[in-house]
Amino acid sequence: MEDRFSFLAEWLDPPAALLRRYQLFYYPKDSSVEMFDVKNQRVFLRRTRYEQLQPENLFLGNRVTVFSRQLHLVDYGDQYTANKLGSRKERTLALIKPDVVTQVGDVLERISSSNLLVTKAKMTTLSWTQAADFYVEHQSKPFFSNLVQFLSSGPVVALELMGDEAVSTWRRLLGPTDSSAARKEAPQSVRGQLGTDGVKNVGHGSDSLAAAARELEFFFPSAGGHGPSNTAVFSDCTCCIIKPHAVSEGLTGKILNSISAAGFQISALQMFSVDRANAEEFYEVYKGVVPEYPTMVTELSSGPCMVLEIHGTDAAQSFREFCGPADPEISRHLRPTSLRALYGRDAAKNAVHCTDLPEDGLLEVQYFFRILDG
Ligand code: ADP
Ligand code: MG
């Protein structure tokens, strides 16, 4: 019998402000989808090929776009799907510690080449109390105050990773706790490559599923809570969005590396899933002005994106030049080392958004880091 995966999916219908529920079927054999309206008990979308839907994005809690609708996968639709896709998928917390926060691109590249998916990300600076809270299991250890001091000494990046055996996969990738031991025993590991010593050791990884659940709740609380604040400074800044297509192609790490290598300071970083209404609002100024407006909205709301605050005098102007002309084809001719020349595909999937007018830099940064992360 043909493989068929089934999910319960929710879609917020913006004009009606209604939550609609569908059963979503995915047939890997020919990459086709089918949707069934749960309330009205009828076929909503006949089986249709839809190659943009990546099977690796079909997991609980994720948002996928099917014909411009952003669907939230809230449950498995049948036992077969739960058994086949759900068995070994885990979530874990990865924390990039202050010693390597400027090399976060390097770490993300290693994560994406090990089949772990980044499903949440946030740069934050922990207070002494928050860091002590996070490491409460070590409070009686002699190194506790050193450790808390270090963890609260600068920005960190918290990541939710998802994948097969994510807890042990990420810890293996990190390597032994002490960086010098890591250099000897696991020279290819993240700590072996980027670590300094026993305290400054690049990252943290949850050591069990229970710890992962607690630590994810600490940084990314479920309903209601807010968690540690983002690090946006809201001055001398411009906004960069690594677009959903680039995130799903695994380019986030490479793009962050290019941005840092060009000397730009990333003062805030956070992953957002922008729904259609918010994408329309964010791009409002382009409506009726640029013909690509509808495709820009569709791209921005098609999956998670990574939003950055770039900080520096004249950041808007110089960062815009670094991104290159909006069309990657033109970028490749005129500015072959620009971000869009290197990572863009076409006019809508052009790897990054950057603020166009210097006076809009702060507004765009506020839209994400103050309003959407409010
Ligand atoms: P891991 O981070 O590999 O899970 P532990 O949970 O044992 O390691 O320790 C938490 C963190 O405390 C380590 O990542 C490291 O930063 C720090 N640490 C651990 N052991 C020592 C030590 N003996 N001296 C100083 N710092 C330590
Ligand atoms: Mg530990």
Side-chain angles (χ1 to χ4, degrees):
M1 220 181 70
E2 184 185 356
D3 247 356
R4 183 188 80 169
F5 298 122
S6 164
F7 285 88
L8 185 65
E10 289 181 347
W11 175 59
L12 183 69
D13 182 355
L18 268 182
L19 201 61
R20 302 197 187 275
R21 307 187 116 211
Y22 301 97
Q23 200 164 8
L24 171 73
F25 299 107
Y26 177 75
Y27 301 84
K29 189 172 144 207
D30 61 353
S31 311
S32 62
V33 293
E34 186 179 6
M35 284 167 71
F36 187 78
D37 186 322
V38 174
K39 181 158 173 261
N40 301 322
Q41 289 291 305
R42 58 183 168 83
V43 175
F44 176 77
L45 171 75
R46 267 178 228 286
R47 182 166 168 182
T48 315
R49 276 180 89 96
Y50 190 67
E51 273 154 1
Q52 292 94 310
L53 186 64
Q54 313 280 334
E56 62 270 23
N57 288 333
L58 289 172
F59 56 83
L60 279 202
N62 201 23
R63 289 183 163 77
V64 295
T65 302
V66 176
F67 294 110
S68 304
R69 281 192 166 70
Q70 199 184 67
L71 302 175
H72 186 199
L73 305 178
V74 295
D75 203 352
Y76 297 113
D78 56 29
Q79 200 55 46
Y80 175 80
T81 307
N83 292 345
K84 191 104 181 198
L85 301 184
S87 53
R88 291 153 68 224
K89 284 269 186 269
E90 294 175 358
R91 288 161 197 274
T92 193
L93 178 85
L95 190 63
I96 313 300
K97 294 184 180 178
D99 54 330
V100 294
V101 91
T102 55
Q103 291 161 279
V104 64
D106 276 341
V107 182
L108 288 175
E109 275 205 74
R110 286 158 204 271
I111 289 172
S112 80
S113 51
S114 72
N115 275 327
L116 292 170
L117 208 59
V118 175
T119 42
K120 288 178 188 153
K122 186 174 195 176
M123 185 184 281
T124 184
T125 302
L126 297 178
S127 66
W128 202 95
T129 316
Q130 286 172 318
D133 225 21
F134 178 77
Y135 267 137
V136 67
E137 61 179 290
H138 294 305
Q139 63 182 336
S140 59
K141 306 269 172 64
F143 58 80
F144 181 68
S145 76
N146 258 349
L147 174 60
V148 170
Q149 165 64 32
F150 165 56
L151 197 69
S152 57
S153 65
V156 295
V157 175
L159 305 167
E160 179 186 75
L161 305 182
M162 164 116 197
D164 293 339
E165 296 169 342
V167 170
S168 59
T169 304
W170 167 237
R171 282 189 68 93
R172 204 174 326 114
L173 203 63
L174 264 180
T177 303
D178 184 342
S179 305
S180 41
R183 271 188 285 280
K184 287 193 207 94
E185 295 158 29
Q188 297 308 314
S189 67
V190 176
R191 282 166 170 167
Q193 298 270 311
L194 307 173
T196 308
D197 54 33
V199 189
K200 295 182 179 153
N201 62 355
V202 185
H204 166 83
S206 313
D207 59 12
S208 64
L209 281 173
R214 181 184 79 80
E215 294 172 0
L216 285 169
E217 190 61 29
F218 181 93
F219 283 101
F220 306 107
S222 36
H226 189 267
S229 314
N230 68 61
T231 50
V233 293
F234 303 113
S235 66
D236 292 326
C237 58
T238 193
C239 179
C240 169
I241 306 174
I242 303 177
K243 294 191 175 184
H245 80 90
V247 169
S248 81
E249 287 167 45
L251 295 172
T252 311
K254 288 197 172 67
I255 294 176
L256 291 173
N257 278 340
S258 296
I259 292 174
S260 302
F264 292 100
Q265 192 208 338
I266 299 169
S267 45
L269 171 155
Q270 191 165 339
M271 198 174 225
F272 289 89
S273 282
V274 183
D275 64 25
R276 216 178 158 80
N278 286 333
E280 283 174 354
E281 190 172 41
F282 179 75
Y283 281 140
E284 185 81 54
V285 295
Y286 299 92
K287 192 176 182 176
V289 177
V290 299
E292 292 84 12
Y293 171 78
T295 46
M296 288 160 72
V297 167
T298 300
E299 168 57 27
L300 186 59
S301 57
S302 69
C305 61
M306 194 71 93
V307 183
L308 314 175
E309 180 193 60
I310 308 280
H311 181 66
T313 11
D314 294 327
Q317 169 96 24
S318 53
F319 189 73
R320 191 163 178 270
E321 279 168 26
F322 177 59
C323 288
D327 184 339
E329 280 308 319
I330 299 174
S331 279
R332 283 189 267 274
H333 282 103
L334 300 182
R335 302 186 56 91
T337 58
S338 67
L339 286 181
R340 284 160 173 166
L342 293 173
Y343 306 110
R345 281 139 100 46
D346 56 43
K349 298 187 191 305
N350 62 353
V352 288
H353 162 86
C354 61
T355 307
D356 271 327
L357 302 170
E359 58 268 34
D360 289 341
L362 176 61
L363 293 174
E364 293 192 359
V365 165
Q366 284 173 334
Y367 187 77
F368 282 97
F369 292 98
R370 197 162 272 162
I371 299 174
L372 295 188
D373 186 38

